[in-house]
Amino acid sequence: MAAEIHSRPQNSRPVLLNKIEGHSDAVNAAVLIPKEDGVITVSEDRTIRVWLKRDSGQYWPSIYHTVSSPCSCMSYHHDSRRIFIGQDNGAIVEFLLSEDFNKMNHVKMYPAHQNRVSDMVFSLESEWVVSTGHDKSVSWMCTQSGSMLGRHYFDSWASCLQYDNDTQHVFIGDHSGQITLLKLERQTYSTVTTLKGHEGSIGALWWDPVQRLLFSGASDHSVIMWDIGGLKGRTLLLQGHHERVQAVRYLQLTRQLVSCSADGGVTVWNMDTPREEAPQWLDSDSCQKCEQPFFWNVKQMWDSKTIGLRQHHCRKCGKAVCGKCSSKRTTYPVMGFEFQVRVCDTCYDTVKDEDRTALATFHEGKHNIAFMDMDPSRGLMVTCGSDRVIKIWDMTQVVGCSIATGFSPR
């Protein structure tokens, strides 16, 4: 059921340690069990499985449990061994794992949503389970009484969330590309702000409570770092994927960000380096370089007897320019552009060779990655997706490892 991959380590590349197969449908979440050679997976095939590594080096299921509806997401709290499973029917089921991970007991069922549960977080401090769903809502329920404490509705599907235990703030990403920040109370809530920057649906969020940074990945192939703690609205755009970003993790001690996309791309970003904010795109009725009119500027077109041009934008300065004045392409990693982007001729001349030095490394997971989890203390990463395969990676050559990481399992 699981194949052991014998790979010789390569410098600065993830090493595939194991490949686990056995699910009959897409695997929606896989979580590494801290301090154990084990993985917990949930799938569209309605099964929850706990895989433990045997003496043969292969992973075999020690727990194989079937529920009534496809499993869409999971939140596992290792210290208490409590696991929460979100389902396609909108319910959340809580189980308690035994110390040897060979038995799982049903604890409670929570009627959290009217449609598929998209993401959730269990907070032991609050004794809440906070979840988002395709019924366009976020709900928070008491895990002691099983009762609903509150609910907030959005205009579109709520796709993912992150929760701050200390302040009881929750970040919710939705399919419109917005991120909403709510302050939760036991019986009420307040809307703090809405973050807008993505041009596609939000696929993943990660909150670092130490540096108070929020990272978001979206279907527009980009990642944005939101400096919440700085209180100045600073954002950094990171473009290093060719497909929608579906998983992000920030490693606080090494100042690295790991992001994964649907095409199997794994990008490791160096965040311990000075970076510049991408400029806002400027609006203009004519090229801000040659002053030729754009095609909607009828008056200038008539006065100058010229045909209007299509508007583009320089990614470095943000000016509105025509195609002739922005014929050059370049990478500019300090601004997050790891791939070549359009710049105006003036900005192109200011970019030096050292400015093109990559600030990220790119790797191939070689399968669709819908979910990713990491254990930085051991330098391990697990990925899963629609191909029904779970892969366990040694990331120590890429991100290093540290015992004190500030990492908290979902």
Side-chain angles (χ1 to χ4, degrees):
M1 300 189 75
E4 185 176 14
I5 310 299
H6 298 279
S7 296
R8 299 180 67 179
Q10 300 178 23
N11 290 334
S12 302
R13 289 190 179 278
V15 177
L16 182 60
L17 299 177
N18 290 90
K19 187 166 66 172
I20 304 173
E21 298 175 295
H23 282 286
S24 60
D25 209 334
V27 183
N28 290 320
V31 173
L32 293 162
I33 302 175
K35 302 176 183 178
E36 298 281 345
D37 283 327
V39 182
I40 306 172
T41 60
V42 298
S43 168
E44 288 290 328
D45 65 11
R46 301 188 295 117
T47 65
I48 306 157
R49 308 188 195 193
V50 178
W51 307 80
L52 296 181
K53 191 175 184 180
R54 307 305 183 184
D55 293 339
S56 64
Q58 296 183 349
Y59 283 80
W60 289 85
S62 62
I63 295 176
Y64 183 112
H65 185 85
T66 303
V67 292
S68 60
S69 181
C71 305
S72 54
C73 57
M74 160 178 49
S75 180
Y76 172 62
H77 189 271
H78 181 63
D79 291 341
S80 63
R81 300 191 311 282
R82 295 164 74 178
I83 182 170
F84 297 79
I85 310 297
Q87 296 181 272
D88 189 66
N89 61 9
I92 295 174
V93 187
E94 179 185 354
F95 296 93
L96 179 64
L97 290 170
S98 62
E99 289 188 19
D100 60 4
F101 298 100
N102 284 311
K103 188 178 179 182
M104 187 169 69
N105 294 318
H106 178 271
V107 177
K108 202 180 271 101
M109 193 276 288
Y110 304 85
H113 296 275
Q114 299 298 314
N115 208 326
R116 184 181 180 92
V117 183
S118 56
D119 199 4
M120 79 180 105
V121 172
F122 165 63
S123 169
L124 183 65
E125 292 82 355
S126 307
E127 280 291 349
W128 292 354
V129 57
V130 187
S131 60
T132 53
H134 286 185
D135 57 0
K136 303 180 180 180
S137 76
V138 57
S139 70
W140 51 108
M141 302 188 70
C142 176
T143 54
Q144 295 175 322
S145 65
S147 61
M148 177 73 68
L149 298 177
R151 186 187 299 275
H152 173 76
Y153 283 95
F154 303 91
D155 293 329
S156 60
W157 283 358
S159 53
C160 51
L161 67 91
Q162 285 284 280
Y163 179 73
D164 186 86
N165 283 303
D166 293 336
T167 64
Q168 295 183 333
H169 283 87
V170 60
F171 299 89
I172 303 105
D174 63 37
H175 273 247
S176 74
Q178 296 184 7
I179 302 169
T180 303
L181 175 57
L182 302 178
K183 174 69 168 74
L184 304 185
E185 305 288 350
R186 279 199 66 84
Q187 301 295 337
T188 184
Y189 68 92
S190 57
T191 302
V192 179
T193 189
T194 301
L195 307 176
K196 300 178 181 180
H198 284 288
E199 297 178 357
S201 60
I202 309 297
L205 293 174
W206 185 261
W207 169 245
D208 174 45
V210 178
Q211 291 186 267
R212 305 194 67 76
L213 300 174
L214 178 71
F215 297 88
S216 58
S219 62
D220 59 7
H221 308 176
S222 68
V223 176
I224 294 180
M225 187 203 83
W226 311 82
D227 186 0
I228 304 299
L231 302 177
K232 295 181 180 179
R234 181 172 179 258
T235 61
L236 294 178
L237 176 66
L238 305 172
Q239 293 189 338
H241 287 280
H242 297 291
E243 256 292 350
R244 62 185 182 274
V245 181
Q246 302 192 128
V248 290
R249 292 289 185 278
Y250 180 63
L251 310 180
Q252 194 267 328
L253 280 190
T254 59
R255 302 293 195 272
Q256 290 171 297
L257 174 71
V258 181
S259 56
C260 301
S261 55
D263 61 357
V266 179
T267 303
V268 180
W269 307 84
N270 177 13
M271 304 304 295
D272 192 25
T273 186
R275 289 182 177 271
E276 299 176 13
E277 285 190 73
Q280 294 289 324
W281 286 2
L282 302 177
D283 292 325
S284 179
D285 292 328
S286 58
C287 175
Q288 294 182 303
K289 294 295 182 179
C290 67
E291 299 184 351
Q292 289 295 305
F294 294 131
F295 63 84
W296 61 83
N297 189 351
V298 179
K299 184 179 185 303
Q300 186 177 346
M301 287 165 54
W302 177 264
D303 292 342
S304 60
K305 301 297 187 294
T306 57
I307 297 176
L309 305 175
R310 183 182 175 186
Q311 178 183 253
H312 301 281
H313 284 92
C314 172
R315 301 308 192 268
K316 189 173 184 294
C317 68
K319 289 184 177 179
V321 291
C322 66
K324 185 178 179 181
C325 294
S326 58
S327 60
K328 306 290 181 60
R329 304 290 185 273
T330 185
T331 60
Y332 198 54
V334 72
M335 205 172 275
F337 300 119
E338 294 288 341
F339 301 149
Q340 290 198 346
V341 291
R342 180 188 296 272
V343 293
C344 67
D345 295 349
T346 303
C347 286
Y348 182 85
D349 294 336
T350 66
V351 179
K352 302 175 182 178
D353 288 342
E354 54 265 32
D355 295 332
R356 297 184 175 91
T357 303
L359 297 178
T361 58
F362 306 93
H363 314 280
E364 287 295 331
K366 296 184 180 179
H367 74 144
N368 165 264
I369 299 177
F371 189 91
M372 173 265 289
D373 184 40
M374 294 191 72
D375 183 350
S377 65
R378 294 181 289 173
L380 296 178
M381 177 177 75
V382 61
T383 58
C384 63
S386 60
D387 63 353
R388 301 172 291 181
V389 176
I390 303 110
K391 293 185 177 182
I392 301 174
W393 305 86
D394 180 355
M395 296 289 287
T396 54
Q397 298 292 329
V398 183
V399 301
C401 62
S402 175
I403 298 301
T405 60
F407 170 78
S408 58
R410 293 171 61 83

